[in-house]
Amino acid sequence: DDKDDTHALSDFLKDRLPQVGLDYDTYGPYVLPLLTEEEVDADEWESVLELLQASSESHSDDEACWMQLRADIQAAWASHLQTQQQHEQEQHEQRAQELSAALAEERRLAEVAAQEAQQKEQQSTSVVDDAAKRALMDRFGYEDDAAEGGDDDNNGGGALANQQVAAQAAQERTNEMRSNKGQTKKDEQAKTNKAKMEKARVKEERRKRSAKGERRRG
């Protein structure tokens, strides 16, 4: 039977059964069902051992060898179960380590992605700031000669240029506000003068109508 040949103790029984005068292919299938992870009833072992002993032509009268055969088979099976359990435990630990490593890698990649996003945001902000500065400089026609010359003695040129550009921008806003205020005042004066003129015109028309009425009555 192919199933019997692939059993964990098939090789052991192929070597051990002939030592007591038994052929594995014939008597192995009687022993293998006793080798399970569940506890086997003692009566089942007794029945199989009696069959094996009665079938042996060389050791049928040797009671001790059959007790030893049972002990050897059970010891070999217990060793196999222990090895199998250890192997399963190692596999479980390996899977746990692989899972932990995978989670750690995912966290690392997430941190890298977050750092890259932050760097891109900072770079974008820097580009916007530089563009705003260039726009101001173009607007006011200011050029930082010290910065363009690359003189090491003028390391503060960039900061000075920023201050001057900002000051010039503030001055222009102040001038613009003053101009708007002056224009507003002129507009108010023009409106007032226009109102006065309109009032005088209405008064003059009333006077003329009144004088014309008096001439008619005369």
Side-chain angles (χ1 to χ4, degrees), residues 129-189:
D129 291 343
D130 290 343
K133 179 181 176 182
R134 286 195 299 270
L136 283 173
M137 294 177 68
D138 292 342
R139 180 179 179 185
F140 299 120
Y142 179 84
E143 293 183 0
D144 188 358
D145 297 335
E148 290 179 358
D151 191 348
D152 293 338
D153 295 335
N154 294 327
N155 289 333
L160 181 59
N162 289 336
Q163 292 174 2
Q164 291 175 340
V165 168
Q168 191 167 353
Q171 182 63 40
E172 184 180 84
R173 286 195 298 271
T174 300
N175 294 339
E176 184 177 355
M177 290 175 64
R178 288 177 178 174
S179 177
N180 291 338
K181 184 176 181 181
Q183 183 64 37
T184 301
K185 188 174 182 180
K186 290 180 180 180
D187 292 342
E188 292 290 340
Q189 292 176 349

Side-chain angles (χ1 to χ4, degrees), residues 15 17 31 36 40 47 77 85 106 108 114-115 118 134 143 149 166 181 193-194 211:
D15 179 67
L17 289 180
V31 178
T36 66
V40 178
S47 297
W77 181 241
Q85 183 178 8
E106 287 183 3
R108 187 189 69 80
Q115 291 176 356
Q118 183 177 6
R134 286 195 299 270
E143 293 183 0
K181 184 176 181 181
N193 292 335
K194 184 177 181 180

Side-chain angles (χ1 to χ4, degrees), residues 105-116:
E105 179 65 11
E106 287 183 3
R107 288 194 295 269
R108 187 189 69 80
L109 293 176
E111 291 175 357
V112 170
Q115 291 176 356
E116 290 179 350

Side-chain angles (χ1 to χ4, degrees), residues 1-18 24-25 28 32 35 77:
D1 191 290
D2 293 339
K3 183 178 180 181
D4 294 340
D5 288 338
T6 59
H7 192 278
L9 289 194
S10 60
D11 290 338
F12 171 82
L13 293 176
K14 286 178 181 180
D15 179 67
R16 190 67 178 82
L17 289 180
Y24 169 78
D25 292 335
L32 293 178
L35 306 178
W77 181 241

Side-chain angles (χ1 to χ4, degrees), residues 40-171:
V40 178
D41 188 75
D43 292 340
E44 293 186 38
W45 270 103
E46 291 296 334
S47 297
V48 172
L49 287 176
E50 288 177 1
L51 172 64
L52 298 180
Q53 181 176 359
S55 302
S56 175
E57 296 180 358
S58 58
H59 295 73
S60 59
D61 297 331
D62 188 351
E63 296 290 340
C65 81
W66 300 106
M67 297 298 295
Q68 186 61 47
L69 175 64
R70 176 180 176 177
D72 291 345
I73 294 175
Q74 289 179 330
W77 181 241
S79 176
H80 164 72
L81 292 180
Q82 183 179 3
T83 301
Q84 178 176 278
Q85 183 178 8
Q86 182 178 357
H87 179 66
E88 291 175 352
Q89 179 64 25
E90 290 175 353
Q91 286 184 326
H92 175 74
E93 293 176 355
Q94 182 178 357
R95 286 193 294 269
Q97 291 176 356
E98 292 174 351
L99 177 60
S100 177
L103 292 175
E105 179 65 11
E106 287 183 3
R107 288 194 295 269
R108 187 189 69 80
L109 293 176
E111 291 175 357
V112 170
Q115 291 176 356
E116 290 179 350
Q118 183 177 6
Q119 290 176 355
K120 289 181 179 179
E121 183 178 356
Q122 292 175 348
Q123 291 174 355
S124 177
T125 302
S126 177
V127 170
V128 172
D129 291 343
D130 290 343
K133 179 181 176 182
R134 286 195 299 270
L136 283 173
M137 294 177 68
D138 292 342
R139 180 179 179 185
F140 299 120
Y142 179 84
E143 293 183 0
D144 188 358
D145 297 335
E148 290 179 358
D151 191 348
D152 293 338
D153 295 335
N154 294 327
N155 289 333
L160 181 59
N162 289 336
Q163 292 174 2
Q164 291 175 340
V165 168
Q168 191 167 353
Q171 182 63 40

